[in-house]
Amino acid sequence: MSDTETPSEPAPRAGRREWTGLAVLALPTLLVSIDVFVMLLALPSLSNALGASSVQQLWITDIYPFMLAGLLITMGTLGDRIGRRRLLLIGAGAFGLASIASAYAVSPAMLIAARALLGIAGATLAPGTLSLISTMFRDPKQRGAAIGIWGACFSAGAIIGPLVGGTMLDHFWWGSAFLLGVPAMVLLLVLGPVFLPEYRNPDAGRLDLVSVLASLAAILPAIWGLKEIARDGWQAVPIAALLVGIGFGVAFVHRQRRLPNPLLDLSLFGHRAFTAALVSMFLGTMLTGAVMFFVTQTLQLLYNRDPFHAGLWMLPAILANTVSFIVSPKLGQRYRPAYLIGGGLLICTLGMLVITRAQADSGPAVLITGFTLVFLGAGPLVTLGMGLVFGTAPQEKAGAAAALNETSGQLGFALGIAALGSIGAAVYHGSISMPDGLPADAARAAKDSLTGAKDAARDLPGTVADTLLAPAREAFATELHTVVTIAAALLLATAVLVTALLRHMPPTGQPSAEAAAGPAEDRDAVTATG
């Protein structure tokens, strides 16, 4: 049964207790997001302090997102089975303890282990908070506003992280970066039992351990392969890992179809709005996430801003994103989500086209103007898309729906960086032309990447360094323009697709024929339309 309410069955409206509960959920969301991005700033300091090798540094960085992505589906469904609040509080406690262990690690191995535990605990937080929001805010209009606040907190951490992290690392030791989330976890443990409701599905059945292992075997190799492809290009081992992940993914889906109580209920995809919203958010995250990655790289590599000042330059974008997250649910009460999401993606596309006007010898203003438009247009996709996901999923499956939403985001982000990053690297290599007379090693490093050029230029005299850097900077600008143009074209196609697939959905809170039909009739309608 759909969670969408009909006029004869008005949804209960949330009161002060629920809105206070949202604040309890939103603050940890913000601080955990900040904590993730701060770690990147702390990496040089902690590597020197612990004597971490280059391989260990990669594992310190990557183990958290690997474990997080691999366990999202399991944790989301586990919350439906044992209780969403219970699992969230267990995860909060584990996250706080793992953060302390990370801060006071005395060896790279200890830090890697602590970061792995952080990823396991983190896998409970996002689906846990989102599924509880679905439980607390049954009224579609209020749920949209709550999702907007949650999304604004999460995205703000990506930009605020370098600012907070830079300040802390200037005044404290490297371990302080891992302690940011601890007070929020304590707050959640104290206030969660008071303000957060408990919900679990009494008919969920037992957890299928084979499915848990299959989901890990599908997601972990795929995420690793995509990250390695983004880092080193299309090498044999990462491609093999990606294919292995796809193979286990097929086996996982086949097993879910046969189980009476599957880890992932594939019947959720029987609702056309659920599938369309999830696919559109996957594509949107893949493209806008890749553009965000390139924008941060451009600020630091092309315009020579350190992470702290790069974060300052990105504040207009996060402000626009926050406004968009707050305003989109209100607009969604008057206008159809298809047109708002499609229109927002058109604004994103316009922003990407503005980014293509940024030049190597100009300041960051044009780049940030375009990126601000991208973040402004992303609000309807996130808030209204998530509203459709939770509004069409049965309440007893909200944890699984939240896990799918987060997993698609992780995969989309990794795929976008891998695919567009590979294209960008090829464009860079094909467009750079080094003048004669430069040291062979420096020229070879510059032909590999702008990072290599900047590293090599440090050991060269001023005029020679400028001669080396000039073509590398121009090649990087060409790379940026090409990648963002491709992303804009694909995002425009996504806007057309989502508008077509969701045009039947009414404004928030108004019943649709699809919702009223129920899941059986809805599946028939989906089958009939192909």
Side-chain angles (χ1 to χ4, degrees):
M1 180 177 179
S2 171
D3 192 39
T4 305
E5 307 289 345
T6 66
S8 59
E9 298 177 358
R13 291 183 60 82
R16 181 179 301 175
R17 183 172 183 266
E18 286 76 18
W19 288 107
T20 304
L22 176 64
V24 173
L25 295 175
L27 181 59
T29 299
L30 172 65
L31 292 181
V32 168
S33 179
I34 291 175
D35 186 75
V36 171
F37 290 94
V38 163
M39 203 288 302
L40 297 177
L41 290 179
L43 186 60
S45 299
L46 68 88
S47 299
N48 291 332
L50 299 180
S53 67
S54 58
V55 173
Q56 290 171 329
Q57 290 179 46
L58 289 177
W59 278 110
I60 290 170
T61 304
D62 289 343
I63 191 65
Y64 176 88
F66 286 161
M67 300 307 297
L68 177 72
L71 289 169
L72 280 170
I73 290 178
T74 297
M75 293 302 184
T77 306
L78 183 62
D80 290 337
R81 282 169 160 78
I82 71 170
R84 294 167 189 166
R85 185 182 68 185
R86 175 186 296 178
L87 185 63
L88 179 65
L89 296 179
I90 292 173
F95 195 94
L97 292 175
S99 296
I100 295 172
S102 298
Y104 293 98
V106 296
S107 68
M110 180 179 175
L111 182 55
I112 292 169
R115 291 274 296 162
L117 292 176
L118 274 174
I120 296 171
T124 70
L125 298 179
T129 54
L130 282 172
S131 59
L132 281 172
I133 287 174
S134 176
T135 300
M136 294 188 295
F137 297 94
R138 301 299 302 278
D139 177 75
K141 297 177 181 178
Q142 290 186 319
R143 182 170 57 228
I147 289 173
I149 293 171
W150 181 91
C153 289
F154 190 83
S155 66
I159 309 300
I160 298 173
L163 304 179
V164 176
T167 302
M168 291 191 66
L169 293 172
D170 283 342
H171 295 85
F172 305 102
W173 93 113
W174 63 264
S176 64
F178 295 102
L179 298 178
L180 282 171
V182 174
M185 296 302 108
V186 173
L187 185 68
L188 181 57
L189 289 171
V190 172
L191 299 180
V194 179
F195 294 104
L196 300 178
E198 182 59 285
Y199 184 95
R200 69 181 183 89
N201 179 11
D203 302 319
R206 298 179 61 184
L207 192 69
D208 181 50
L209 294 180
V210 174
S211 294
V212 172
L213 295 176
S215 69
L216 286 170
I219 294 173
L220 291 181
I223 290 288
W224 182 85
L226 290 171
K227 283 183 174 289
E228 290 300 306
I229 289 170
R231 182 179 292 139
D232 300 321
W234 295 84
Q235 304 295 325
V237 174
I239 292 174
L242 182 57
L243 293 176
V244 167
I246 293 173
F248 275 106
V250 172
F252 173 78
V253 170
H254 179 70
R255 182 172 180 83
Q256 302 317 293
R257 293 183 182 277
R258 297 186 291 107
L259 291 175
N261 295 297
L263 179 69
L264 177 62
D265 189 353
L266 299 178
S267 68
L268 290 171
F269 293 96
H271 201 299
R272 184 171 59 180
F274 178 94
T275 304
L278 204 62
V279 169
S280 65
M281 286 192 290
F282 170 80
L283 294 173
T285 301
M286 180 180 76
L287 299 170
T288 59
V291 169
M292 178 181 174
F293 172 80
F294 272 92
V295 167
T296 57
Q297 291 289 298
T298 301
L299 282 170
Q300 296 180 62
L301 296 177
L302 195 62
Y303 297 131
N304 299 317
R305 272 32 179 208
D306 59 42
F308 178 81
H309 289 92
L312 286 177
W313 271 102
M314 295 176 75
L315 284 179
I318 192 60
L319 177 61
N321 197 228
T322 302
V323 171
S324 184
F325 278 170
I326 299 302
V327 172
S328 294
K330 296 183 182 297
L331 293 176
Q333 298 174 21
R334 298 184 60 186
Y335 305 103
R336 289 180 179 267
Y339 304 136
L340 290 173
I341 295 174
L345 294 181
L346 289 179
I347 295 175
C348 291
T349 303
L350 175 62
M352 293 180 184
L353 295 178
V354 172
I355 291 174
T356 64
R357 310 310 300 170
Q359 302 300 321
D361 56 356
S362 65
V366 173
L367 179 79
I368 294 305
T369 299
F371 188 57
T372 299
L373 288 173
V374 172
F375 260 35
L376 179 66
L381 174 65
V382 176
T383 57
L384 300 181
M386 289 172 61
L388 288 170
V389 166
F390 290 111
T392 53
Q395 180 57 219
E396 63 272 14
K397 308 239 181 245
L404 277 173
N405 176 78
E406 292 299 306
T407 303
S408 70
Q410 293 282 333
L411 290 172
F413 187 74
L415 178 60
I417 293 177
L420 293 179
S422 298
I423 293 172
V427 170
Y428 180 92
H429 296 152
S431 62
I432 191 169
S433 178
M434 302 302 297
D436 296 332
L438 291 170
D441 290 344
R444 187 163 44 250
K447 288 180 179 179
D448 183 63
S449 67
L450 180 54
T451 301
K454 291 171 75 71
D455 290 340
R458 294 191 184 99
D459 299 325
L460 300 175
T463 56
V464 179
D466 292 340
T467 303
L468 178 76
L469 286 173
R473 287 166 56 84
E474 290 295 335
F476 185 87
T478 302
E479 174 185 354
L480 172 70
H481 297 163
T482 303
V483 166
V484 175
T485 299
I486 293 172
L490 294 175
L491 200 63
L492 181 61
T494 302
V496 174
L497 176 67
V498 70
T499 302
L501 292 177
L502 293 176
R503 66 184 185 278
H504 64 291
M505 295 300 295
T508 304
Q510 297 183 19
S512 67
E514 181 179 336
E521 294 178 47
D522 180 49
R523 285 192 294 271
D524 294 340
V526 174
T527 303
T529 57

